[in-house]
């Protein structure tokens, strides 16, 4: 039994069932994200940037109608440490709408918006003076009390386990932990996003909280009874293609399990098409299959990926790229990934993507031909260790 659970409220249950609190839990809105080349026709801005604004505005519109007792944003409100003036101004406008309606809004800083160097300062400080807006970004645990709602807010920070130990249950009210991290615990899968600065926290000692409002993992997930990732409000990679995107409504009543309702938001359609495998097709069939695939998926306004596997090099070079461009033009983004067969080794012509420093280093070591006397595994281990030390020192 954890120290956290030692202050369990003897009154919980009987006395608290007489009232109910409703919170909206959202996370990972990544405002300011932009991708691909398509521009929004109305505003002339990057279409995907506009999509993140739309999702958040839909949420705020809904909240103004339904008036929850509080809104908890579990981090990565912004996509970056230095959002554009436009992104900041957009968020400011939406927070003022909530503030004017008297709806409390609590947000913690996630790994995307927390600067590596404290001196950089946080964009969140701009919102500090808006009534009913509570921004928690100082790399340490803070308690936000909203009447019966006791919010234990833990932003992205270096010593997340140490800061977590400062959470002590309060006796009168609903105790809610607000966290941005990959959570760990007995019997839980890993909720990693594969980002180099993500934090990991064990939630086994938080089981006495009335609710854990989690952010960072982009799929809306019931982690445990009363512990949920709200998920992101838009799809930010093809890994999220099958996710429903939205936010959670949580009804706290003092019962052992809260009622949690998922509310979907309208988001851009993202499609990962069934790959075309070229091994048993001739040149004409390959070209026909690619064309048919594009037309049948009706790419207009969608973000689409099509993988073309084992395509012979000479067929690739004879593709009519102008025609493919014309067929896919109505999409917000249409990505065709070709994987070739050459010298019995397949390699890919996807646009180069830069992964985390760890991943890049591991791949580099894997590919690199070194003298037989050098132990690759040992080299990898040492390299990863140095990268970690460097990252720590740099903070
Ligand atoms: Mn995150």
């Amino acid at each position: 039994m954890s120290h956290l659970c030692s202050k369990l409220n003897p009154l919980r249950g009987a006395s608290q069932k007489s009232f109910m609190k409703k919170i909206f839990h959202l996370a990972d809105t990544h405002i300011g994200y932009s991708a691909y080349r398509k521009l929004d026709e109305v505003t002339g801005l990057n279409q995907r940037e506009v999509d993140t604004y739309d999702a958040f505005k839909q949420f705020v519109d809904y909240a103004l109608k339904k008036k929850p007792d509080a809104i908890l944003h579990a981090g990565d409100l912004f996509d970056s440490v230095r959002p554009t003036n436009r992104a900041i101004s957009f968020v400011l406008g939406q927070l003022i709408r909530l503030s004017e309606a008297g709806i409390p809004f609590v947000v913690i800083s996630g790994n995307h918006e927390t600067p590596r160097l404290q001196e950089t300062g946080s964009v969140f400080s701009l919102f500090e003076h808006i009534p009913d807006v509570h921004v928690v970004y100082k790399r340490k645990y803070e308690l936000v009390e909203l009447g019966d709602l006791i919010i234990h807010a833990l932003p992205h920070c270096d010593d997340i386990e140490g800061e977590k130990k400062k959470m002590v249950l309060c006796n009168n009210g609903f105790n809610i932990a607000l966290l941005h991290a990959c959570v760990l615990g007995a019997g839980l899968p890993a909720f990693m996003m594969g980002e180099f600065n993500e934090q990991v926290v064990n939630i086994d000692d938080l089981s006495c909280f009335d609710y854990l409002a989690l952010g960072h993992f982009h799929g809306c997930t019931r982690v445990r009874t009363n512990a949920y990732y709200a998920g992101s409000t838009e799809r930010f990679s093809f890994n999220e293609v099958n996710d429903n995107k939205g936010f959670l409504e949580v009804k706290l009543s003092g019962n052992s399990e809260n009622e949690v309702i998922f509310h979907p938001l309208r988001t851009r359609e993202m499609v990962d098409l069934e790959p075309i495998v070229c091994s048993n097709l001739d040149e004409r069939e390959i070209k026909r299959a690619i064309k048919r695939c594009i037309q049948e998926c009706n790419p207009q306004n969608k973000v689409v990926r099509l993988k073309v596997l084992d395509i012979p090099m000479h067929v690739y070079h004879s593709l009519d790229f102008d025609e493919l461009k014309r067929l896919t033009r109505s999409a917000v983004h249409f990505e065709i990934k070709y994987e070739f067969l050459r010298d019995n080794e397949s390699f890919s012509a996807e646009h180069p993507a830069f992964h985390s420093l760890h991943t890049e280093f591991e791949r580099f070591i894997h590919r690199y031909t070194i003298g037989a006397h050098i132990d690759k595994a040992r080299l990898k281990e040492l390299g990863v260790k140095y990268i970690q030390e460097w990252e720590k020192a740099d903070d």
Side-chain angles (χ1 to χ4, degrees):
M1 193 62 145
S2 147
H3 65 287
L4 290 169
C5 297
S6 59
K7 287 197 175 180
L8 251 192
N9 178 12
L11 298 176
R12 176 159 303 145
S15 71
Q16 291 196 343
K17 270 177 189 160
S18 55
F19 63 92
M20 204 270 288
K21 289 281 169 186
K22 181 170 77 184
I23 55 171
F24 284 177
H25 166 202
L26 85 162
D28 297 275
T29 42
H30 289 264
I31 303 295
Y33 163 88
S34 83
Y36 318 133
R37 286 187 211 148
K38 194 71 149 201
L39 303 181
D40 173 50
E41 279 172 18
V42 181
T43 57
L45 304 175
N46 181 280
Q47 182 61 65
R48 294 298 282 147
E49 177 181 347
V50 172
D51 290 346
T52 65
Y53 295 164
D54 282 351
F56 191 57
K57 185 171 175 297
Q58 275 179 65
F59 168 80
V60 173
D61 290 347
Y62 187 82
L64 290 175
K65 247 190 273 167
K66 301 292 175 179
K67 297 205 175 351
D69 295 300
I71 294 169
L72 306 183
H73 191 304
D76 286 354
L77 170 63
F78 289 105
D79 190 54
S80 67
V81 173
R82 290 183 183 80
T84 61
N85 290 344
R86 183 168 57 242
I88 296 169
S89 156
F90 167 78
V91 168
L92 185 63
Q94 298 306 314
L95 296 189
I96 287 173
R97 291 176 75 203
L98 294 170
S99 173
E100 283 172 349
I103 303 171
F105 183 89
V106 186
V107 58
I108 52 172
S109 183
N111 60 317
H112 272 257
E113 60 231 329
T114 304
R116 288 176 66 82
L117 299 169
Q118 207 153 356
E119 305 89 271
T120 305
S122 167
V123 59
F124 277 15
S125 64
L126 296 172
F127 310 122
E128 216 153 29
H129 308 290
I130 307 174
D132 291 318
V133 171
H134 306 266
V135 282
V136 181
Y137 62 91
K138 294 179 180 157
R139 298 160 188 259
K140 58 183 179 22
Y141 164 79
E142 284 180 41
L143 187 69
V144 179
E145 289 182 72
L146 306 169
D148 299 321
L149 295 173
I150 319 288
I151 319 297
H152 302 262
L154 183 46
H156 179 80
C157 57
D158 297 330
D159 182 18
I160 194 163
E161 281 292 338
E163 289 299 315
K164 185 189 69 177
K165 293 198 173 73
K166 297 180 185 169
M167 292 184 180
V168 177
L169 284 176
C170 295
N171 281 335
N172 31 31
F174 294 107
N175 287 275
I176 299 160
L178 185 59
L179 297 157
H180 187 93
C182 320
V183 297
L184 289 180
L188 295 183
F191 290 99
M192 313 289 277
M193 291 294 292
E195 294 168 336
F196 79 92
N197 65 344
E198 60 193 350
Q199 291 286 16
V200 177
V201 71
N202 191 300
I203 57 165
D204 281 343
D205 49 2
L206 301 180
S207 56
C208 297
F209 280 72
D210 291 289
Y211 186 70
L212 306 191
L214 306 173
H216 185 56
F217 186 70
H218 282 191
C220 179
T221 311
R222 178 189 186 275
V223 173
R224 277 186 182 156
T225 308
N226 301 334
Y228 285 76
Y229 278 108
S232 59
T233 49
E234 250 293 342
R235 293 179 187 85
F236 296 105
S237 87
F238 281 98
N239 296 332
E240 301 172 35
V241 71
N242 296 318
D243 294 356
N244 286 315
K245 296 300 183 185
F247 64 94
L248 297 171
E249 173 183 352
V250 185
K251 291 177 178 172
L252 300 154
S253 58
N255 293 327
S256 55
E257 185 156 1
N258 304 304
E259 189 183 343
V260 181
I261 303 156
F262 173 75
H263 292 283
L265 293 168
R266 267 177 291 111
T267 51
R268 183 152 307 276
E269 266 189 79
M270 187 183 261
V271 190
D272 197 9
L273 295 168
E274 188 68 33
I276 297 172
V277 184
C278 303
S279 17
N280 295 316
L281 306 177
D282 64 23
E283 181 169 340
R284 212 166 46 103
E285 288 169 329
I286 292 171
K287 289 177 177 170
R288 216 169 28 201
I290 294 174
K291 212 169 137 176
R292 196 178 47 228
C293 231
I294 295 171
Q295 285 167 330
E296 280 178 0
C297 83
N298 183 25
Q300 189 168 10
N301 295 329
K302 297 176 186 169
V303 174
V304 191
R305 179 169 70 178
L306 171 62
K307 288 182 184 169
V308 181
L309 307 178
D310 295 347
I311 184 168
M313 198 53 110
H314 72 277
V315 177
Y316 171 76
H317 283 303
S318 70
L319 290 174
D320 183 347
F321 290 105
D322 286 339
E323 189 193 21
L324 294 181
K325 207 169 180 181
R326 193 173 49 75
L327 291 172
T328 57
R329 190 174 291 153
S330 66
V332 164
H333 177 67
F334 203 111
E335 185 173 316
I336 307 182
K337 268 178 79 174
Y338 300 95
E339 282 188 24
F340 307 106
L341 267 188
R342 197 182 69 169
D343 299 339
N344 294 328
E345 191 192 352
S346 66
F347 68 97
S348 150
E350 63 184 294
H351 297 292
F354 190 72
H355 299 276
S356 75
L357 209 50
H358 290 160
T359 315
E360 289 297 332
F361 178 71
E362 284 177 11
R363 286 189 184 175
F364 170 74
I365 292 293
H366 177 73
R367 283 196 305 261
Y368 197 70
T369 329
I370 320 173
H373 62 287
I374 293 178
D375 179 354
K376 273 195 179 192
R378 176 78 184 128
L379 189 63
K380 190 171 100 180
E381 193 182 294
L382 277 174
V384 169
K385 187 175 146 245
Y386 292 142
I387 290 170
Q388 277 166 349
E389 280 172 13
W390 170 77
E391 277 169 2
K392 271 194 193 134
D394 202 47
D395 275 338

